[in-house]
Amino acid sequence: MKVQTILITGASSGFGAACARIFAEEGNRLVLAARRIDPLLALQEELAGKAEIHIIPLDVRDREAVHGALGSLPAGFGEIDVLLNNAGLALGLEPAHQVNLDDWDTMVDTNIKGLMYCTRFVLPGMVARNRGHIVNIGSTAGAWPYPGGNVYGGTKAFVTQFSRNLRSDLLGTRVRVTCIQPGMAETEFSRVRFKGDEQLAARVYQGTEPLTAEDVAETVNWVVSRPAHVNINTLELMSIHQSWGPFAVYREDG
Ligand code: NDP
Ligand code: 8X3
């Protein structure tokens, strides 16, 4: 397959780092972005010799920084073929009336606004070249409610609908848009959600075989390697240990 220039946000761990590894195996040119520079440097070193890699310390919530970084990519990295909007997080699992409002702000700013900024800055080049692929990482939490999912699930519902609306805008171009919606996957996700509480994080996966970052990366790779006329719109995947529950019913008589 032709070498592609692939921009991955949130490449410092989890799905993003696994995607970088899989895309590097195929010799693609990678732009890796995240706030933490050390894991990006380590990944760059690990993948040296397989792929050309440019790393960017970037907080996707910072609109000017996104504009600056994506507008000044070095020669050879400027024409993005695939944007993987992966940077994101959940914070807390409290019911809505008890959450820390700052956590809600952070999730909206990262999962919604950061994804919007990256998309908006990359898209004009894709449309001008009449090729490209935006892959957005949604979540089962965007389709299925659960207690404590409140704003996190809301941000991921945005990602699903934004992805569909993007494709509507792009009809008539050969720019593809896909929303991938994984269920429970073991990465740094729960450590971040529970603010470093390793025990709470481990409990999420206890007794299960969750999705791995590599499972998700293989899915992303499959989606982007379909023939150019095939657009995978949405793709939901879950561990075999996960499924839906019945409607919850509150009974006053206990
Ligand atoms: P990780 O916590 O392992 O990775 C999250 C990545 O996002 C990190 O690289 C982090 O980098 C980056 N990130 C967070 N905030 C910012 C920011 N403001 N600017 C730039 N980068 C940022 O979790 P996952 O790999 O699991 O999560 C990746 C995506 O997948 C997220 O969008 C998440 O919501 C989604 N998801 C996760 C599931 C799961 O169960 N694990 C299931 C479904 C979806 P850094 O801290 O260095 O900035
Ligand atoms: C992550 C999956 O179920 O923890 O998006 O919300 S879940």
Side-chain angles (χ1 to χ4, degrees), residues 10-16 33-36 58-61 86-89 110-111 137-139 152 156 182-189 192 205:
S12 59
S13 71
F15 302 166
R35 290 167 302 176
R36 288 170 295 169
L58 180 66
D59 186 334
V60 295
R61 295 172 295 178
N86 164 76
L89 77 176
T110 311
N111 303 358
I137 301 295
S139 168
Y152 177 67
K156 292 302 184 176
M184 172 179 77
E186 190 163 9
T187 60
E188 292 183 13
F189 178 83
V192 171
Y205 312 108

PDB file of all heavy atoms in Angstrom, residues 10-16 33-36 58-61 86-89 110-111 137-139 152 156 182-189 192 205, ligand 1:
ATOM      1  N   GLY A  10      -3.090  12.104  20.717  1.00  0.00           N
ATOM      2  CA  GLY A  10      -3.117  11.172  21.849  1.00  0.00           C
ATOM      3  C   GLY A  10      -2.270   9.947  21.564  1.00  0.00           C
ATOM      4  O   GLY A  10      -2.653   8.816  21.861  1.00  0.00           O
ATOM      5  N   ALA A  11      -1.072  10.198  21.015  1.00  0.00           N
ATOM      6  CA  ALA A  11      -0.200   9.073  20.617  1.00  0.00           C
ATOM      7  C   ALA A  11       0.726   8.634  21.745  1.00  0.00           C
ATOM      8  O   ALA A  11       1.518   7.709  21.575  1.00  0.00           O
ATOM      9  CB  ALA A  11       0.631   9.478  19.398  1.00  0.00           C
ATOM     10  N   SER A  12       0.632   9.264  22.912  1.00  0.00           N
ATOM     11  CA  SER A  12       1.595   8.951  23.978  1.00  0.00           C
ATOM     12  C   SER A  12       1.246   7.694  24.754  1.00  0.00           C
ATOM     13  O   SER A  12       2.056   7.225  25.551  1.00  0.00           O
ATOM     14  CB  SER A  12       1.710  10.142  24.944  1.00  0.00           C
ATOM     15  OG  SER A  12       0.450  10.430  25.516  1.00  0.00           O
ATOM     16  N   SER A  13       0.048   7.136  24.557  1.00  0.00           N
ATOM     17  CA  SER A  13      -0.298   5.883  25.254  1.00  0.00           C
ATOM     18  C   SER A  13      -1.484   5.225  24.567  1.00  0.00           C
ATOM     19  O   SER A  13      -2.019   5.753  23.584  1.00  0.00           O
ATOM     20  CB  SER A  13      -0.618   6.147  26.733  1.00  0.00           C
ATOM     21  OG  SER A  13      -1.848   6.818  26.849  1.00  0.00           O
ATOM     22  N   GLY A  14      -1.876   4.069  25.090  1.00  0.00           N
ATOM     23  CA  GLY A  14      -3.128   3.428  24.688  1.00  0.00           C
ATOM     24  C   GLY A  14      -3.304   3.235  23.193  1.00  0.00           C
ATOM     25  O   GLY A  14      -2.384   2.832  22.488  1.00  0.00           O
ATOM     26  N   PHE A  15      -4.519   3.525  22.724  1.00  0.00           N
ATOM     27  CA  PHE A  15      -4.865   3.293  21.309  1.00  0.00           C
ATOM     28  C   PHE A  15      -3.912   4.049  20.384  1.00  0.00           C
ATOM     29  O   PHE A  15      -3.505   3.526  19.339  1.00  0.00           O
ATOM     30  CB  PHE A  15      -6.285   3.776  20.992  1.00  0.00           C
ATOM     31  CG  PHE A  15      -7.398   3.158  21.800  1.00  0.00           C
ATOM     32  CD1 PHE A  15      -8.670   3.734  21.787  1.00  0.00           C
ATOM     33  CD2 PHE A  15      -7.210   2.007  22.555  1.00  0.00           C
ATOM     34  CE1 PHE A  15      -9.717   3.180  22.509  1.00  0.00           C
ATOM     35  CE2 PHE A  15      -8.254   1.453  23.296  1.00  0.00           C
ATOM     36  CZ  PHE A  15      -9.518   2.045  23.274  1.00  0.00           C
ATOM     37  N   GLY A  16      -3.621   5.307  20.740  1.00  0.00           N
ATOM     38  CA  GLY A  16      -2.815   6.141  19.852  1.00  0.00           C
ATOM     39  C   GLY A  16      -1.426   5.548  19.636  1.00  0.00           C
ATOM     40  O   GLY A  16      -0.943   5.476  18.497  1.00  0.00           O
ATOM     41  N   ALA A  33       1.119  13.328  18.200  1.00  0.00           N
ATOM     42  CA  ALA A  33       0.867  14.479  19.080  1.00  0.00           C
ATOM     43  C   ALA A  33       0.294  14.027  20.419  1.00  0.00           C
ATOM     44  O   ALA A  33      -0.490  13.077  20.477  1.00  0.00           O
ATOM     45  CB  ALA A  33      -0.109  15.440  18.394  1.00  0.00           C
ATOM     46  N   ALA A  34       0.699  14.708  21.462  1.00  0.00           N
ATOM     47  CA  ALA A  34       0.146  14.505  22.809  1.00  0.00           C
ATOM     48  C   ALA A  34       0.776  15.570  23.703  1.00  0.00           C
ATOM     49  O   ALA A  34       1.715  16.269  23.279  1.00  0.00           O
ATOM     50  CB  ALA A  34       0.464  13.112  23.350  1.00  0.00           C
ATOM     51  N   ARG A  35       0.269  15.674  24.937  1.00  0.00           N
ATOM     52  CA  ARG A  35       0.862  16.668  25.845  1.00  0.00           C
ATOM     53  C   ARG A  35       2.200  16.181  26.385  1.00  0.00           C
ATOM     54  O   ARG A  35       3.134  16.951  26.545  1.00  0.00           O
ATOM     55  CB  ARG A  35      -0.087  16.955  27.010  1.00  0.00           C
ATOM     56  CG  ARG A  35      -1.329  17.725  26.610  1.00  0.00           C
ATOM     57  CD  ARG A  35      -2.356  17.693  27.708  1.00  0.00           C
ATOM     58  NE  ARG A  35      -2.730  16.312  28.041  1.00  0.00           N
ATOM     59  CZ  ARG A  35      -3.558  15.975  29.015  1.00  0.00           C
ATOM     60  NH1 ARG A  35      -4.099  16.904  29.768  1.00  0.00           N
ATOM     61  NH2 ARG A  35      -3.837  14.706  29.239  1.00  0.00           N
ATOM     62  N   ARG A  36       2.323  14.891  26.696  1.00  0.00           N
ATOM     63  CA  ARG A  36       3.556  14.378  27.318  1.00  0.00           C
ATOM     64  C   ARG A  36       4.588  14.084  26.244  1.00  0.00           C
ATOM     65  O   ARG A  36       4.375  13.221  25.391  1.00  0.00           O
ATOM     66  CB  ARG A  36       3.248  13.111  28.128  1.00  0.00           C
ATOM     67  CG  ARG A  36       2.484  13.373  29.414  1.00  0.00           C
ATOM     68  CD  ARG A  36       2.011  12.080  30.036  1.00  0.00           C
ATOM     69  NE  ARG A  36       1.032  11.410  29.195  1.00  0.00           N
ATOM     70  CZ  ARG A  36       0.603  10.160  29.382  1.00  0.00           C
ATOM     71  NH1 ARG A  36       1.071   9.443  30.373  1.00  0.00           N
ATOM     72  NH2 ARG A  36      -0.302   9.635  28.571  1.00  0.00           N
ATOM     73  N   LEU A  58       1.556  18.736  22.173  1.00  0.00           N
ATOM     74  CA  LEU A  58       0.361  19.521  21.829  1.00  0.00           C
ATOM     75  C   LEU A  58      -0.788  19.210  22.773  1.00  0.00           C
ATOM     76  O   LEU A  58      -1.099  18.045  23.029  1.00  0.00           O
ATOM     77  CB  LEU A  58      -0.069  19.167  20.386  1.00  0.00           C
ATOM     78  CG  LEU A  58      -1.307  19.891  19.859  1.00  0.00           C
ATOM     79  CD1 LEU A  58      -1.060  21.388  19.704  1.00  0.00           C
ATOM     80  CD2 LEU A  58      -1.754  19.296  18.520  1.00  0.00           C
ATOM     81  N   ASP A  59      -1.407  20.271  23.266  1.00  0.00           N
ATOM     82  CA  ASP A  59      -2.655  20.135  24.009  1.00  0.00           C
ATOM     83  C   ASP A  59      -3.767  20.486  23.031  1.00  0.00           C
ATOM     84  O   ASP A  59      -3.882  21.650  22.614  1.00  0.00           O
ATOM     85  CB  ASP A  59      -2.650  21.093  25.208  1.00  0.00           C
ATOM     86  CG  ASP A  59      -3.865  20.895  26.105  1.00  0.00           C
ATOM     87  OD1 ASP A  59      -4.908  20.426  25.609  1.00  0.00           O
ATOM     88  OD2 ASP A  59      -3.758  21.213  27.308  1.00  0.00           O
ATOM     89  N   VAL A  60      -4.577  19.505  22.660  1.00  0.00           N
ATOM     90  CA  VAL A  60      -5.578  19.756  21.609  1.00  0.00           C
ATOM     91  C   VAL A  60      -6.642  20.759  22.047  1.00  0.00           C
ATOM     92  O   VAL A  60      -7.399  21.270  21.229  1.00  0.00           O
ATOM     93  CB  VAL A  60      -6.257  18.450  21.119  1.00  0.00           C
ATOM     94  CG1 VAL A  60      -5.268  17.535  20.429  1.00  0.00           C
ATOM     95  CG2 VAL A  60      -7.008  17.739  22.242  1.00  0.00           C
ATOM     96  N   ARG A  61      -6.702  21.067  23.358  1.00  0.00           N
ATOM     97  CA  ARG A  61      -7.686  22.055  23.826  1.00  0.00           C
ATOM     98  C   ARG A  61      -7.286  23.468  23.445  1.00  0.00           C
ATOM     99  O   ARG A  61      -8.102  24.382  23.509  1.00  0.00           O
ATOM    100  CB  ARG A  61      -7.811  21.973  25.360  1.00  0.00           C
ATOM    101  CG  ARG A  61      -8.385  20.661  25.848  1.00  0.00           C
ATOM    102  CD  ARG A  61      -8.300  20.563  27.360  1.00  0.00           C
ATOM    103  NE  ARG A  61      -6.911  20.535  27.820  1.00  0.00           N
ATOM    104  CZ  ARG A  61      -6.540  20.499  29.085  1.00  0.00           C
ATOM    105  NH1 ARG A  61      -7.453  20.503  30.035  1.00  0.00           N
ATOM    106  NH2 ARG A  61      -5.254  20.461  29.418  1.00  0.00           N
ATOM    107  N   ASN A  86      -7.899  10.831  18.235  1.00  0.00           N
ATOM    108  CA  ASN A  86      -7.955   9.826  19.294  1.00  0.00           C
ATOM    109  C   ASN A  86      -7.818  10.435  20.685  1.00  0.00           C
ATOM    110  O   ASN A  86      -8.311   9.866  21.657  1.00  0.00           O
ATOM    111  CB  ASN A  86      -6.828   8.815  19.024  1.00  0.00           C
ATOM    112  CG  ASN A  86      -6.513   7.960  20.226  1.00  0.00           C
ATOM    113  OD1 ASN A  86      -7.248   7.042  20.557  1.00  0.00           O
ATOM    114  ND2 ASN A  86      -5.407   8.275  20.906  1.00  0.00           N
ATOM    115  N   ALA A  87      -7.160  11.605  20.782  1.00  0.00           N
ATOM    116  CA  ALA A  87      -6.933  12.211  22.108  1.00  0.00           C
ATOM    117  C   ALA A  87      -8.264  12.372  22.825  1.00  0.00           C
ATOM    118  O   ALA A  87      -9.234  12.883  22.262  1.00  0.00           O
ATOM    119  CB  ALA A  87      -6.266  13.577  21.950  1.00  0.00           C
ATOM    120  N   GLY A  88      -8.315  11.910  24.056  1.00  0.00           N
ATOM    121  CA  GLY A  88      -9.563  12.047  24.794  1.00  0.00           C
ATOM    122  C   GLY A  88      -9.447  11.404  26.152  1.00  0.00           C
ATOM    123  O   GLY A  88      -8.467  10.720  26.463  1.00  0.00           O
ATOM    124  N   LEU A  89     -10.454  11.647  26.956  1.00  0.00           N
ATOM    125  CA  LEU A  89     -10.420  11.116  28.322  1.00  0.00           C
ATOM    126  C   LEU A  89     -11.793  11.184  28.972  1.00  0.00           C
ATOM    127  O   LEU A  89     -12.651  11.955  28.569  1.00  0.00           O
ATOM    128  CB  LEU A  89      -9.397  11.880  29.176  1.00  0.00           C
ATOM    129  CG  LEU A  89      -9.753  13.275  29.702  1.00  0.00           C
ATOM    130  CD1 LEU A  89      -8.632  13.778  30.601  1.00  0.00           C
ATOM    131  CD2 LEU A  89     -10.043  14.275  28.614  1.00  0.00           C
ATOM    132  N   THR A 110     -11.592  18.708  25.560  1.00  0.00           N
ATOM    133  CA  THR A 110     -10.686  17.749  24.899  1.00  0.00           C
ATOM    134  C   THR A 110     -11.437  16.922  23.847  1.00  0.00           C
ATOM    135  O   THR A 110     -11.072  16.922  22.667  1.00  0.00           O
ATOM    136  CB  THR A 110     -10.091  16.777  25.948  1.00  0.00           C
ATOM    137  OG1 THR A 110      -9.576  17.517  27.048  1.00  0.00           O
ATOM    138  CG2 THR A 110      -8.996  15.921  25.329  1.00  0.00           C
ATOM    139  N   ASN A 111     -12.479  16.230  24.301  1.00  0.00           N
ATOM    140  CA  ASN A 111     -13.123  15.228  23.439  1.00  0.00           C
ATOM    141  C   ASN A 111     -13.948  15.864  22.322  1.00  0.00           C
ATOM    142  O   ASN A 111     -14.109  15.263  21.261  1.00  0.00           O
ATOM    143  CB  ASN A 111     -14.049  14.319  24.268  1.00  0.00           C
ATOM    144  CG  ASN A 111     -13.335  13.621  25.404  1.00  0.00           C
ATOM    145  OD1 ASN A 111     -12.128  13.772  25.570  1.00  0.00           O
ATOM    146  ND2 ASN A 111     -14.060  12.869  26.215  1.00  0.00           N
ATOM    147  N   ILE A 137     -12.254   8.596  17.163  1.00  0.00           N
ATOM    148  CA  ILE A 137     -12.481   7.573  18.182  1.00  0.00           C
ATOM    149  C   ILE A 137     -13.647   8.004  19.064  1.00  0.00           C
ATOM    150  O   ILE A 137     -13.532   8.924  19.871  1.00  0.00           O
ATOM    151  CB  ILE A 137     -11.216   7.304  19.028  1.00  0.00           C
ATOM    152  CG1 ILE A 137     -10.042   6.852  18.136  1.00  0.00           C
ATOM    153  CG2 ILE A 137     -11.522   6.229  20.087  1.00  0.00           C
ATOM    154  CD1 ILE A 137     -10.211   5.519  17.415  1.00  0.00           C
ATOM    155  N   GLY A 138     -14.771   7.348  18.849  1.00  0.00           N
ATOM    156  CA  GLY A 138     -15.955   7.530  19.696  1.00  0.00           C
ATOM    157  C   GLY A 138     -15.896   6.529  20.834  1.00  0.00           C
ATOM    158  O   GLY A 138     -14.823   6.226  21.366  1.00  0.00           O
ATOM    159  N   SER A 139     -17.029   5.989  21.181  1.00  0.00           N
ATOM    160  CA  SER A 139     -17.078   5.003  22.272  1.00  0.00           C
ATOM    161  C   SER A 139     -18.475   4.397  22.323  1.00  0.00           C
ATOM    162  O   SER A 139     -19.456   5.038  21.909  1.00  0.00           O
ATOM    163  CB  SER A 139     -16.789   5.694  23.611  1.00  0.00           C
ATOM    164  OG  SER A 139     -17.088   4.828  24.689  1.00  0.00           O
ATOM    165  N   TYR A 152     -19.133  12.380  29.769  1.00  0.00           N
ATOM    166  CA  TYR A 152     -18.226  11.597  28.921  1.00  0.00           C
ATOM    167  C   TYR A 152     -19.022  10.979  27.766  1.00  0.00           C
ATOM    168  O   TYR A 152     -18.653  11.129  26.591  1.00  0.00           O
ATOM    169  CB  TYR A 152     -17.503  10.506  29.725  1.00  0.00           C
ATOM    170  CG  TYR A 152     -16.634   9.656  28.823  1.00  0.00           C
ATOM    171  CD1 TYR A 152     -15.517  10.200  28.195  1.00  0.00           C
ATOM    172  CD2 TYR A 152     -16.947   8.315  28.555  1.00  0.00           C
ATOM    173  CE1 TYR A 152     -14.736   9.442  27.323  1.00  0.00           C
ATOM    174  CE2 TYR A 152     -16.174   7.559  27.687  1.00  0.00           C
ATOM    175  CZ  TYR A 152     -15.072   8.119  27.076  1.00  0.00           C
ATOM    176  OH  TYR A 152     -14.303   7.376  26.202  1.00  0.00           O
ATOM    177  N   LYS A 156     -18.965  11.650  23.559  1.00  0.00           N
ATOM    178  CA  LYS A 156     -18.753  10.608  22.546  1.00  0.00           C
ATOM    179  C   LYS A 156     -19.952  10.499  21.603  1.00  0.00           C
ATOM    180  O   LYS A 156     -19.794  10.122  20.439  1.00  0.00           O
ATOM    181  CB  LYS A 156     -18.433   9.274  23.234  1.00  0.00           C
ATOM    182  CG  LYS A 156     -17.072   9.287  23.939  1.00  0.00           C
ATOM    183  CD  LYS A 156     -15.934   9.606  22.964  1.00  0.00           C
ATOM    184  CE  LYS A 156     -14.561   9.528  23.605  1.00  0.00           C
ATOM    185  NZ  LYS A 156     -13.462   9.731  22.656  1.00  0.00           N
ATOM    186  N   PRO A 182     -15.196   1.835  20.410  1.00  0.00           N
ATOM    187  CA  PRO A 182     -14.810   0.674  21.223  1.00  0.00           C
ATOM    188  C   PRO A 182     -15.550   0.661  22.562  1.00  0.00           C
ATOM    189  O   PRO A 182     -15.921   1.712  23.094  1.00  0.00           O
ATOM    190  CB  PRO A 182     -13.307   0.879  21.469  1.00  0.00           C
ATOM    191  CG  PRO A 182     -12.896   2.057  20.628  1.00  0.00           C
ATOM    192  CD  PRO A 182     -14.136   2.848  20.384  1.00  0.00           C
ATOM    193  N   GLY A 183     -15.720  -0.535  23.079  1.00  0.00           N
ATOM    194  CA  GLY A 183     -16.155  -0.692  24.463  1.00  0.00           C
ATOM    195  C   GLY A 183     -14.926  -0.753  25.361  1.00  0.00           C
ATOM    196  O   GLY A 183     -13.816  -0.342  24.971  1.00  0.00           O
ATOM    197  N   MET A 184     -15.134  -1.306  26.545  1.00  0.00           N
ATOM    198  CA  MET A 184     -14.090  -1.389  27.588  1.00  0.00           C
ATOM    199  C   MET A 184     -12.749  -1.926  27.045  1.00  0.00           C
ATOM    200  O   MET A 184     -12.686  -3.051  26.565  1.00  0.00           O
ATOM    201  CB  MET A 184     -14.644  -2.341  28.652  1.00  0.00           C
ATOM    202  CG  MET A 184     -13.744  -2.760  29.733  1.00  0.00           C
ATOM    203  SD  MET A 184     -14.633  -3.862  30.871  1.00  0.00           S
ATOM    204  CE  MET A 184     -14.672  -5.406  29.960  1.00  0.00           C
ATOM    205  N   ALA A 185     -11.715  -1.122  27.160  1.00  0.00           N
ATOM    206  CA  ALA A 185     -10.387  -1.518  26.692  1.00  0.00           C
ATOM    207  C   ALA A 185      -9.365  -1.130  27.758  1.00  0.00           C
ATOM    208  O   ALA A 185      -9.451  -0.038  28.325  1.00  0.00           O
ATOM    209  CB  ALA A 185     -10.056  -0.822  25.374  1.00  0.00           C
ATOM    210  N   GLU A 186      -8.410  -2.003  27.995  1.00  0.00           N
ATOM    211  CA  GLU A 186      -7.438  -1.715  29.063  1.00  0.00           C
ATOM    212  C   GLU A 186      -6.266  -0.905  28.525  1.00  0.00           C
ATOM    213  O   GLU A 186      -5.443  -1.402  27.752  1.00  0.00           O
ATOM    214  CB  GLU A 186      -6.951  -3.008  29.720  1.00  0.00           C
ATOM    215  CG  GLU A 186      -6.152  -2.700  30.970  1.00  0.00           C
ATOM    216  CD  GLU A 186      -5.993  -3.899  31.889  1.00  0.00           C
ATOM    217  OE1 GLU A 186      -6.363  -5.016  31.478  1.00  0.00           O
ATOM    218  OE2 GLU A 186      -5.492  -3.708  33.009  1.00  0.00           O
ATOM    219  N   THR A 187      -6.216   0.330  28.935  1.00  0.00           N
ATOM    220  CA  THR A 187      -5.146   1.275  28.577  1.00  0.00           C
ATOM    221  C   THR A 187      -4.909   2.119  29.832  1.00  0.00           C
ATOM    222  O   THR A 187      -5.254   1.694  30.934  1.00  0.00           O
ATOM    223  CB  THR A 187      -5.619   2.188  27.413  1.00  0.00           C
ATOM    224  OG1 THR A 187      -6.787   2.892  27.872  1.00  0.00           O
ATOM    225  CG2 THR A 187      -5.987   1.397  26.168  1.00  0.00           C
ATOM    226  N   GLU A 188      -4.442   3.348  29.646  1.00  0.00           N
ATOM    227  CA  GLU A 188      -4.343   4.255  30.801  1.00  0.00           C
ATOM    228  C   GLU A 188      -5.686   4.929  31.113  1.00  0.00           C
ATOM    229  O   GLU A 188      -5.797   5.725  32.046  1.00  0.00           O
ATOM    230  CB  GLU A 188      -3.271   5.326  30.535  1.00  0.00           C
ATOM    231  CG  GLU A 188      -1.865   4.760  30.489  1.00  0.00           C
ATOM    232  CD  GLU A 188      -0.811   5.850  30.309  1.00  0.00           C
ATOM    233  OE1 GLU A 188      -1.134   7.046  30.467  1.00  0.00           O
ATOM    234  OE2 GLU A 188       0.327   5.495  30.000  1.00  0.00           O
ATOM    235  N   PHE A 189      -6.696   4.592  30.305  1.00  0.00           N
ATOM    236  CA  PHE A 189      -8.001   5.266  30.386  1.00  0.00           C
ATOM    237  C   PHE A 189      -8.570   5.302  31.812  1.00  0.00           C
ATOM    238  O   PHE A 189      -8.967   6.363  32.305  1.00  0.00           O
ATOM    239  CB  PHE A 189      -8.966   4.547  29.429  1.00  0.00           C
ATOM    240  CG  PHE A 189     -10.362   5.091  29.435  1.00  0.00           C
ATOM    241  CD1 PHE A 189     -10.704   6.205  28.674  1.00  0.00           C
ATOM    242  CD2 PHE A 189     -11.359   4.481  30.184  1.00  0.00           C
ATOM    243  CE1 PHE A 189     -12.002   6.699  28.673  1.00  0.00           C
ATOM    244  CE2 PHE A 189     -12.659   4.967  30.192  1.00  0.00           C
ATOM    245  CZ  PHE A 189     -12.981   6.085  29.434  1.00  0.00           C
ATOM    246  N   VAL A 192      -6.629   7.349  34.342  1.00  0.00           N
ATOM    247  CA  VAL A 192      -6.909   8.784  34.173  1.00  0.00           C
ATOM    248  C   VAL A 192      -8.287   9.098  34.749  1.00  0.00           C
ATOM    249  O   VAL A 192      -8.457  10.060  35.498  1.00  0.00           O
ATOM    250  CB  VAL A 192      -6.829   9.175  32.670  1.00  0.00           C
ATOM    251  CG1 VAL A 192      -7.317  10.592  32.447  1.00  0.00           C
ATOM    252  CG2 VAL A 192      -5.397   9.006  32.158  1.00  0.00           C
ATOM    253  N   TYR A 205     -11.386  -3.905  35.032  1.00  0.00           N
ATOM    254  CA  TYR A 205     -11.047  -5.000  34.108  1.00  0.00           C
ATOM    255  C   TYR A 205     -10.974  -6.359  34.800  1.00  0.00           C
ATOM    256  O   TYR A 205     -10.787  -7.384  34.133  1.00  0.00           O
ATOM    257  CB  TYR A 205      -9.709  -4.690  33.422  1.00  0.00           C
ATOM    258  CG  TYR A 205      -9.658  -3.287  32.882  1.00  0.00           C
ATOM    259  CD1 TYR A 205      -8.862  -2.293  33.476  1.00  0.00           C
ATOM    260  CD2 TYR A 205     -10.456  -2.922  31.805  1.00  0.00           C
ATOM    261  CE1 TYR A 205      -8.853  -1.000  33.002  1.00  0.00           C
ATOM    262  CE2 TYR A 205     -10.455  -1.622  31.327  1.00  0.00           C
ATOM    263  CZ  TYR A 205      -9.654  -0.663  31.928  1.00  0.00           C
ATOM    264  OH  TYR A 205      -9.659   0.621  31.460  1.00  0.00           O
TER     265      TYR A 205
HETATM  266  P1  NDP B   1      -5.170   6.595  27.272  1.00  0.00           P
HETATM  267  O1  NDP B   1      -5.395   7.371  28.516  1.00  0.00           O
HETATM  268  O2  NDP B   1      -4.207   5.473  27.293  1.00  0.00           O
HETATM  269  O3  NDP B   1      -4.770   7.593  26.083  1.00  0.00           O
HETATM  270  C1  NDP B   1      -5.357   8.863  25.944  1.00  0.00           C
HETATM  271  C2  NDP B   1      -4.464   9.715  25.067  1.00  0.00           C
HETATM  272  O4  NDP B   1      -5.085  11.009  24.908  1.00  0.00           O
HETATM  273  C3  NDP B   1      -3.098   9.953  25.681  1.00  0.00           C
HETATM  274  O5  NDP B   1      -2.124   9.808  24.673  1.00  0.00           O
HETATM  275  C4  NDP B   1      -3.163  11.387  26.170  1.00  0.00           C
HETATM  276  O6  NDP B   1      -1.871  11.969  26.052  1.00  0.00           O
HETATM  277  C5  NDP B   1      -4.104  11.993  25.127  1.00  0.00           C
HETATM  278  N1  NDP B   1      -4.699  13.238  25.585  1.00  0.00           N
HETATM  279  C6  NDP B   1      -5.539  13.431  26.624  1.00  0.00           C
HETATM  280  N2  NDP B   1      -5.828  14.746  26.750  1.00  0.00           N
HETATM  281  C7  NDP B   1      -5.146  15.383  25.759  1.00  0.00           C
HETATM  282  C8  NDP B   1      -5.025  16.743  25.363  1.00  0.00           C
HETATM  283  N3  NDP B   1      -5.671  17.730  26.011  1.00  0.00           N
HETATM  284  N4  NDP B   1      -4.243  17.039  24.295  1.00  0.00           N
HETATM  285  C9  NDP B   1      -3.581  16.061  23.642  1.00  0.00           C
HETATM  286  N5  NDP B   1      -3.667  14.761  23.950  1.00  0.00           N
HETATM  287  C10 NDP B   1      -4.429  14.439  25.020  1.00  0.00           C
HETATM  288  O7  NDP B   1      -6.614   6.078  26.841  1.00  0.00           O
HETATM  289  P2  NDP B   1      -7.132   5.326  25.519  1.00  0.00           P
HETATM  290  O8  NDP B   1      -6.041   4.986  24.597  1.00  0.00           O
HETATM  291  O9  NDP B   1      -8.027   4.256  25.993  1.00  0.00           O
HETATM  292  O10 NDP B   1      -8.038   6.480  24.921  1.00  0.00           O
HETATM  293  C11 NDP B   1      -7.924   6.932  23.598  1.00  0.00           C
HETATM  294  C12 NDP B   1      -9.308   7.377  23.126  1.00  0.00           C
HETATM  295  O11 NDP B   1     -10.176   6.249  23.140  1.00  0.00           O
HETATM  296  C13 NDP B   1      -9.976   8.413  24.011  1.00  0.00           C
HETATM  297  O12 NDP B   1     -10.644   9.331  23.176  1.00  0.00           O
HETATM  298  C14 NDP B   1     -10.984   7.602  24.828  1.00  0.00           C
HETATM  299  O13 NDP B   1     -12.071   8.374  25.237  1.00  0.00           O
HETATM  300  C15 NDP B   1     -11.381   6.559  23.808  1.00  0.00           C
HETATM  301  N6  NDP B   1     -11.944   5.315  24.285  1.00  0.00           N
HETATM  302  C16 NDP B   1     -11.331   4.560  25.249  1.00  0.00           C
HETATM  303  C17 NDP B   1     -11.897   3.351  25.644  1.00  0.00           C
HETATM  304  C18 NDP B   1     -11.307   2.528  26.727  1.00  0.00           C
HETATM  305  O14 NDP B   1     -12.051   1.758  27.360  1.00  0.00           O
HETATM  306  N7  NDP B   1     -10.003   2.590  26.967  1.00  0.00           N
HETATM  307  C19 NDP B   1     -13.110   2.848  24.997  1.00  0.00           C
HETATM  308  C20 NDP B   1     -13.660   3.713  24.005  1.00  0.00           C
HETATM  309  C21 NDP B   1     -13.090   4.880  23.663  1.00  0.00           C
HETATM  310  P3  NDP B   1      -1.248  13.038  27.065  1.00  0.00           P
HETATM  311  O15 NDP B   1      -1.776  12.731  28.437  1.00  0.00           O
HETATM  312  O16 NDP B   1       0.222  12.813  26.914  1.00  0.00           O
HETATM  313  O17 NDP B   1      -1.701  14.355  26.517  1.00  0.00           O
END
